[in-house]
Amino acid sequence: MFTISDVTLVRNARKILSVEQLSIPTDQLTVVLGHNGSGKSTLMSLLAGQQTADSGTVKLHEHVISELGAKELAKKIAFLPQNLPASAGMTVRELVRLGRFPWRGALGRWRQDDSAIVDEAIAKTGMMEFANTLVDDLSGGERQRAWVAMLLAQQSPVLILDEPTSALDIQHQYQLLSLLAELNQQHQCGIIVILHDLNLALRYATHIVALREGSIAFSGPVSTLHDEQRLSELYQTPIKLMDHPDSQGTDTINKVAVVCA
């Protein structure tokens, strides 16, 4: 469980984030929602230990994030930023091997089980056929899977991804979220991900955090989204919810959001 208490972050005299109290489970697929500039990426950066709040505390279980060393933090949290680092000249396997950095032995030596862990991460993301392919030669969806494989090789119990679907077409957006849902449900990876697509959130999330103007608008189970007034206020535009046609005859009613512009 992440717990955030009395956190503020100010930049250029503007309050970017202000959170009195927030808990985020680390055993679910949590989607972070909100308009542009609402503080989503700042929140993710604080959770991942990439920056420190001006005041307040961010904890993972009982560990204060800002007090953890780089390798110790990487063993607990794997983070994928919105702007991916350069991977020019690297194959998928070479990229995924980078995830083993926190676990290297003395003098950074490669351990016997490192190769097996890398192969397992590549296989889980369905990238084995591309293992020796240059990352730059992959499609957008394949490239995102390669980076997720690198996160898995890190063997951190929590994966944090900042807008991983932003440059993907619809097909690859759903493929990536299906993969993240599978990792959460079948491999017990906690997932925290920023999305802009409300329908992706309705379909795949089990927990929701919504921000507005740097503050928490609401949070809770995905059923929290099943409220047209709440969604319309969050996005400042009329939104209607309908039952997904494929949910008929099932115990779980899936919702589809429609913007009424």
Side-chain angles (χ1 to χ4, degrees):
M1 180 77 74
F2 278 103
T3 55
I4 300 174
S5 303
D6 300 318
V7 160
T8 59
L9 195 146
V10 178
R11 292 292 181 269
N12 299 321
R14 175 172 170 257
K15 188 173 289 187
I16 304 298
L17 195 68
S18 178
V19 179
E20 291 186 6
Q21 199 70 34
L22 176 67
S23 297
I24 302 177
T26 52
D27 61 348
Q28 297 190 41
L29 198 165
T30 296
V31 169
V32 180
L33 296 171
H35 56 80
N36 289 336
S38 61
K40 302 186 300 299
S41 291
T42 301
L43 174 63
M44 299 290 261
S45 184
L46 292 175
L47 294 177
Q50 302 302 300
Q51 61 179 316
T52 305
D54 296 322
S55 62
T57 57
V58 181
K59 292 183 179 181
L60 175 59
H61 308 310
E62 291 303 312
H63 302 283
V64 177
I65 296 295
S66 60
E67 296 177 357
L68 297 176
K71 280 196 172 184
E72 187 178 4
L73 181 65
K75 289 180 180 180
K76 299 180 183 300
I77 301 166
F79 175 59
L80 191 65
Q82 183 178 356
N83 297 315
L84 297 177
S87 56
M90 299 179 66
T91 66
V92 169
R93 187 179 300 279
E94 289 168 341
L95 174 66
V96 178
R97 282 170 61 99
L98 296 179
R100 298 306 301 154
F101 167 76
W103 303 95
R104 295 287 179 86
L107 304 178
R109 290 192 180 95
W110 193 254
R111 301 182 308 175
Q112 287 185 347
D113 60 345
D114 284 327
S115 293
I117 292 169
V118 167
D119 285 343
E120 182 180 8
I122 294 172
K124 281 181 179 177
T125 53
M127 291 296 292
M128 191 58 76
E129 65 178 298
F130 302 106
N132 298 314
T133 302
L134 291 174
V135 176
D136 287 350
D137 291 341
L138 300 173
S139 70
E142 292 162 352
R143 190 176 299 115
Q144 288 292 61
R145 282 177 172 263
W147 280 98
V148 171
M150 190 271 286
L151 299 188
L152 291 180
Q154 197 170 316
Q155 288 191 309
S156 310
V158 181
L159 311 184
I160 298 178
L161 304 94
D162 188 346
E163 297 192 40
T165 63
S166 60
L168 302 181
D169 59 29
I170 292 176
Q171 178 189 18
H172 288 109
Q173 288 178 25
Y174 278 83
Q175 287 178 350
L176 179 60
L177 264 295
S178 293
L179 170 62
L180 295 178
E182 177 183 336
L183 293 174
N184 173 245
Q185 296 165 12
Q186 299 184 19
H187 302 285
Q188 290 72 57
C189 289
I191 308 290
I192 304 175
V193 56
I194 291 177
L195 294 178
H196 280 292
D197 190 314
L198 188 52
N199 284 310
L200 283 174
L202 285 163
R203 179 163 180 173
Y204 291 104
T206 61
H207 190 82
I208 295 292
V209 174
L211 290 95
R212 183 177 177 191
E213 297 180 352
S215 298
I216 304 301
F218 56 87
S219 66
V222 68
S223 58
T224 308
L225 288 183
H226 298 175
D227 185 317
E228 294 175 346
Q229 181 177 349
R230 179 178 288 150
L231 290 175
S232 298
E233 290 174 354
L234 177 66
Y235 289 105
Q236 295 288 281
T237 191
I239 293 175
K240 298 291 289 184
L241 292 172
M242 301 184 299
D243 293 343
H244 195 289
D246 289 345
S247 67
Q248 294 180 2
T250 65
D251 293 333
T252 301
I253 297 178
N254 296 316
K255 297 289 185 179
V256 176
V258 179
V259 177
C260 302

